[in-house]
Amino acid sequence: MASPLNRRHRRTAPYVIMNNNTQLPAVAYSARQPDQENSANSNNGIQILTNTPLEQPQQEQMQRAALSLFDLVRRAQRIRRWMRRNQEHHELPERSDSFLEKFVPATKSQSAQKEQSKTWVIDPSKTFYYYWSSIVSLAVLYNCIMLIGRSAFLLLQERLLIVWLIFDYLCDVCYIVDTFIQTRRGYLEQGLIVRDITKLRKNYMRSRAFILDLISLLPTDFLYFVPKLRLVPALRFNRLFRIYRTFEFSDKVETQTNHPNVFRLVSLLIIIMIIIHWNACFYFIISRWIGYSTDGWVYNMTAPTAATLTTQYLYCFFWSTLVLTNIGEVPPPETDIEVLFVTADFLTGVLIFATIVGNVGSIIASMNAVRADFRQKVDQVKQYMVFRKVGKDLERRVITWFDYLWLQKQVANEDIVLGALPQKLRVEIAIHVHLAALKRVPIFAEAQPGLLVELVTRLKLQIFSPGDYVCKKGDIGKEMYIIKRGRLSVVSDDGTKIFVTLEEGSVFGEISILNIPGSKTGNRRTANIRSVGYSDLFCLTKQDLWEVLAEYPSARDTLIERGKAHLRKDNLLDEEAAQRAQQDEAAIPEKVTRLEGNIDNLETRLARLMGEYTANMTALGQRLQTVEKLAVPRRETLSDEKLSRKNTLDVIGVETHEDDV
């Protein structure tokens, strides 16, 4: 096959027009004609085609088909290269961590890591596993309730046999899928989810859950083919070994729900109902084994409606409830088996009754723990006010304030409640609760994110009663306030005239805590602000603000400049005083430098004096040593002369004393 022409020639390639006579084909060109030079080149390029006679029309068609196929392949290759370049352009390169690479084994390649990251592993903390556990729990509860019920009440098994078989095998499918999911269930190792399938499978197979799951999946349904055991529901009792998944799901729900006490109460009631249900089924099974209506204790089938399924189950459930709760009277047992069964029921009933009382009491105590603690605080305050003989009006205001706290669910101390959380989570909660309110402050609207994060953790909630003054004119400003809920009024000195009303989101007192130099009001309040009703305010103290600004000097300068701009608008800034303060602040580095120089000079002089003192002490020590060396021989000579004189007097016979010698 002839090679195709180049790109230019293909664009102006001739198409052949065959006439009815088998003559040389006429050559025609497309409407897009190039210039004369290109046309000449095209004519030269196709000269061979025009001068070569065609043997058959089929040969020309094959050539054109080959050219079209080749052109299609070239276009496909061009599109593929474009897609590859586009993919490489949009795909972000992986960043290698040189620190982590030191601890990665050399045999583990990057391709293996990518393959491992793509492996489907289930995180137990995610919502998928949570909802899947709920489905498995429903399947387990179905088996727990219906298997014993169908085994006891044969009418229930016979009437809906097809339905029960469908549900049975749907539960089996759920069990099989759950077993597969357990092999992909991740676990934490060194704080990370393990994603190695081999390790996950080995960890599951070494656990007790694997044994229980394996027993629950045993195909005991094949015993249905035994004639005597045909469709007996009791053959599926091994499905109950997976009941641990229900308790696992219950623990997870209790942890995640916002009403754990209600869930505990509902769970307790469900467990009690299941126990009563099983005991009712056992009673009916024993009655059938002994014989219906054979004595006064077993189920009586002679009643008009005793043969109906509803009557049978309701009576057995009623009998089981009376026995297990030790309430009411039941027919006394007459045979040994009946006595043993009733005795076991009584013992079980005592345990159930104790469990009910204990758990319900604990749940109620947990539900009322917050209210009991709040009431204890209120009682303590009441006793204190009675002891100190506080006036009735003030006592009423205090009690009303406590009532408002309880109605607004603000009885808990946030610091104590969030104290169990790590610092990171506390900061995130504070950002979620307080950041929007803090951004309403004009001077903090464009502050650094780090500064805002530090400030939100220091906002405190304060509640003011109706008529309480938040601040008065002339007071030293130590806090700024953000209104969360309620209304405040700016009033005159006597409180009779209202100038303006501040509502939710308003901010006041932010200028007084900045210590702006040159402010005509200093750090004092310029208005009287009174709470109209109950008001919830976020408070930021001056001490907390400046502790944070000490770590953000640039933000401190920015806030001060914004505060000055606000004061200029109200004509409350003394420019000369502000300029002097700025000059003094600018001269501080020079003064500090001069002071450091003086300190260095003093240290030099002190070092020189210490050197001289050390040298003098050394010279004095040497002189004392010389004097001691000269004094020792002289002392020995005097001692010898004294001893000789004493000996001479003793020879003569004159009594002497040491002092006389």
Side-chain angles (χ1 to χ4, degrees):
M1 183 177 63
S3 62
L5 302 176
N6 56 24
R7 187 175 182 181
R8 178 191 295 177
H9 293 165
R10 285 203 310 272
R11 289 181 180 176
T12 59
Y15 57 92
V16 180
I17 303 176
M18 300 294 297
N19 52 16
N20 295 330
N21 300 325
T22 58
Q23 297 178 357
L24 295 177
V27 180
Y29 293 89
S30 62
R32 296 173 61 185
Q33 295 290 343
D35 53 8
Q36 295 181 357
E37 183 178 358
N38 293 338
S39 178
N41 294 335
S42 300
N43 293 332
N44 295 333
I46 64 173
Q47 188 68 29
I48 299 175
L49 294 177
T50 56
N51 294 332
T52 302
L54 298 178
E55 296 179 356
Q56 295 178 356
Q58 295 180 356
Q59 183 178 1
E60 182 182 0
Q61 293 177 1
M62 291 176 62
Q63 290 179 356
R64 283 192 292 174
L67 289 173
S68 300
L69 181 61
F70 187 81
D71 185 62
L72 181 63
V73 172
R74 290 287 300 272
R75 290 178 183 275
Q77 291 178 351
R78 192 178 299 113
I79 293 174
R80 184 179 179 182
R81 287 195 297 269
W82 176 80
M83 291 178 64
R84 186 178 301 171
R85 288 196 302 268
N86 191 25
Q87 183 178 2
E88 293 176 355
H89 176 72
H90 290 286
E91 185 177 3
L92 295 176
E94 292 186 352
R95 298 179 59 186
S96 59
D97 194 337
S98 58
F99 178 78
L100 295 178
E101 288 176 355
K102 298 178 182 178
F103 301 93
V104 177
T107 58
K108 191 173 183 179
S109 61
Q110 294 182 355
S111 60
Q113 294 178 359
K114 292 181 180 179
E115 188 67 23
Q116 182 178 353
S117 62
K118 296 179 182 179
T119 304
W120 185 60
V121 175
I122 298 174
D123 189 352
S125 61
K126 301 300 182 181
T127 56
F128 171 77
Y129 188 77
Y130 178 80
Y131 291 118
W132 173 252
S133 298
S134 66
I135 296 174
V136 177
S137 299
L138 290 177
V140 174
L141 288 177
Y142 164 79
N143 288 323
C144 186
I145 295 173
M146 300 311 301
L147 289 181
I148 186 64
R150 289 156 53 192
S151 300
F153 302 94
L154 300 181
L155 292 177
L156 181 65
Q157 171 72 1
E158 294 172 357
R159 291 182 180 179
L160 301 173
L161 179 60
I162 303 300
V163 176
W164 301 136
L165 291 177
I166 293 174
F167 278 107
D168 287 346
Y169 294 114
L170 284 178
C171 292
D172 290 347
V173 172
C174 181
Y175 278 22
I176 294 172
V177 175
D178 184 63
T179 302
F180 172 75
I181 288 177
Q182 293 300 316
T183 61
R184 297 299 184 97
R185 179 186 176 184
Y187 64 93
L188 293 178
E189 184 176 331
Q190 297 182 359
L192 299 175
I193 291 291
V194 176
R195 296 187 175 274
D196 189 354
I197 300 300
T198 304
K199 294 180 66 176
L200 294 178
R201 190 180 297 113
K202 290 181 179 179
N203 180 69
Y204 172 61
M205 295 178 66
R206 286 195 298 263
S207 64
R208 186 180 62 178
F210 173 71
I211 300 175
L212 298 176
D213 293 346
L214 189 62
I215 296 174
S216 66
L217 287 177
L218 291 178
T220 55
D221 295 19
F222 285 111
L223 296 177
Y224 284 168
F225 295 103
V226 179
K228 294 183 179 181
L229 301 177
R230 184 174 179 81
L231 299 177
V232 176
L235 296 176
R236 295 177 53 85
F237 277 174
N238 61 316
R239 305 299 192 271
L240 301 181
F241 280 92
R242 203 178 285 254
I243 197 171
Y244 77 93
R245 294 283 283 119
T246 303
F247 294 113
E248 178 184 342
F249 174 71
S250 177
D251 294 338
K252 188 175 289 293
V253 173
E254 184 177 349
T255 303
Q256 296 187 3
T257 184
N258 293 328
H259 306 283
N261 293 319
V262 177
F263 178 77
R264 294 190 193 105
L265 185 60
V266 173
S267 300
L268 180 62
L269 293 177
I270 292 175
I271 293 174
I272 293 172
M273 295 290 287
I274 291 176
I275 294 175
I276 295 175
H277 167 76
W278 272 68
N279 190 61
C281 294
F282 281 136
Y283 169 72
F284 197 77
I285 291 173
I286 293 176
S287 297
R288 184 173 66 242
W289 181 61
I290 295 175
Y292 300 119
S293 305
T294 56
D295 56 30
W297 183 83
V298 297
Y299 183 77
N300 185 13
M301 274 289 185
T302 60
T305 59
T308 60
L309 176 61
T310 304
T311 303
Q312 292 175 2
Y313 182 75
L314 289 178
Y315 178 80
C316 294
F317 194 87
F318 171 73
W319 183 92
S320 177
T321 304
L322 293 180
V323 172
L324 293 180
T325 57
N326 297 321
I327 301 174
E329 296 182 358
V330 294
E334 299 180 6
T335 63
D336 294 340
I337 296 177
E338 296 173 359
V339 171
L340 290 175
F341 180 71
V342 173
T343 303
D345 275 1
F346 282 152
L347 295 176
T348 306
V350 172
L351 295 177
I352 291 176
F353 185 77
T355 303
I356 293 174
V357 173
N359 283 274
V360 172
S362 177
I363 292 172
I364 294 176
S366 299
M367 295 175 65
N368 296 329
V370 177
R371 186 177 184 88
D373 183 65
F374 177 73
R375 288 301 177 189
Q376 183 180 3
K377 294 179 180 178
V378 175
D379 293 340
Q380 291 176 354
V381 174
K382 287 181 179 179
Q383 293 176 3
Y384 176 81
M385 290 189 295
V386 171
F387 177 74
R388 295 299 181 183
K389 298 180 181 180
V390 178
K392 292 295 182 181
D393 182 61
L394 181 57
E395 183 178 352
R396 181 184 54 80
R397 291 175 57 193
V398 171
I399 295 175
T400 307
W401 182 81
F402 274 116
D403 292 339
Y404 174 78
L405 285 184
W406 178 256
L407 292 176
Q408 297 298 323
K409 306 299 182 182
Q410 296 178 355
V411 297
N413 190 343
E414 294 184 0
D415 295 335
I416 297 177
V417 173
L418 302 178
L421 297 177
Q423 181 66 22
K424 176 66 175 176
L425 294 179
R426 287 205 300 268
V427 170
E428 291 185 5
I429 292 177
I431 291 173
H432 180 76
V433 175
H434 304 313
L435 186 59
L438 189 62
K439 284 186 175 181
R440 294 173 182 172
V441 183
I443 61 175
F444 296 138
E446 299 178 359
Q448 299 179 11
L451 176 64
L452 295 178
V453 170
E454 291 290 337
L455 290 178
V456 294
T457 58
R458 299 171 185 263
L459 287 178
K460 305 298 181 182
L461 181 65
Q462 293 186 2
I463 300 175
F464 293 88
S465 301
D468 290 347
Y469 278 90
V470 180
C471 61
K472 290 187 176 182
K473 187 175 181 180
D475 293 344
I476 297 176
K478 297 181 180 179
E479 305 92 3
M480 61 164 288
Y481 298 96
I482 306 172
I483 302 177
K484 177 187 177 184
R485 186 187 297 113
R487 283 199 249 178
L488 289 83
S489 299
V490 180
V491 298
S492 58
D493 294 340
D494 55 1
T496 57
K497 186 177 181 180
I498 298 176
F499 299 108
V500 68
T501 300
L502 305 177
E503 297 183 351
E504 179 179 351
S506 300
V507 182
F508 60 93
E510 69 275 15
I511 302 300
S512 61
I513 65 175
L514 288 176
N515 291 335
I516 298 177
S519 176
K520 295 181 180 179
T521 60
N523 294 328
R524 305 212 173 247
R525 304 293 188 186
T526 58
N528 302 304
I529 300 180
R530 185 177 61 193
S531 177
V532 178
Y534 286 100
S535 303
D536 300 346
L537 309 179
F538 287 126
C539 173
L540 178 65
T541 63
K542 179 188 295 186
Q543 181 180 358
D544 292 337
L545 175 64
W546 283 97
E547 286 179 359
V548 175
L549 291 179
E551 301 178 0
Y552 295 90
S554 60
R556 178 192 59 194
D557 298 338
T558 303
L559 292 179
I560 291 177
E561 290 299 326
R562 290 178 182 173
K564 289 182 179 180
H566 283 281
L567 291 177
R568 289 191 184 96
K569 292 180 181 179
D570 299 333
N571 196 21
L572 296 177
L573 181 65
D574 188 352
E575 297 291 347
E576 295 181 358
Q579 187 174 3
R580 286 196 302 269
Q582 187 175 2
Q583 293 176 355
D584 294 340
E585 185 177 0
I588 288 178
E590 182 179 356
K591 294 179 180 179
V592 171
T593 303
R594 190 181 305 115
L595 182 61
E596 290 178 351
N598 295 334
I599 292 175
D600 292 339
N601 293 332
L602 291 176
E603 289 179 350
T604 303
R605 293 180 182 180
L606 181 61
R608 186 182 299 115
L609 290 175
M610 290 297 297
E612 294 177 356
Y613 172 77
T614 304
N616 293 333
M617 291 299 296
T618 303
L620 181 61
Q622 292 177 355
R623 292 177 182 178
L624 290 176
Q625 291 178 358
T626 303
V627 171
E628 289 179 354
K629 290 179 180 178
L630 295 176
V632 169
R634 179 63 177 170
R635 188 182 302 111
E636 293 178 352
T637 303
L638 292 176
S639 178
D640 293 340
E641 291 179 354
K642 187 182 298 183
L643 182 61
S644 176
R645 190 176 301 171
K646 182 178 179 182
N647 293 334
T648 303
L649 293 175
D650 291 339
V651 171
I652 298 173
V654 179
E655 295 182 357
T656 59
H657 296 280
E658 188 69 23
D659 296 336
D660 296 338
V661 177

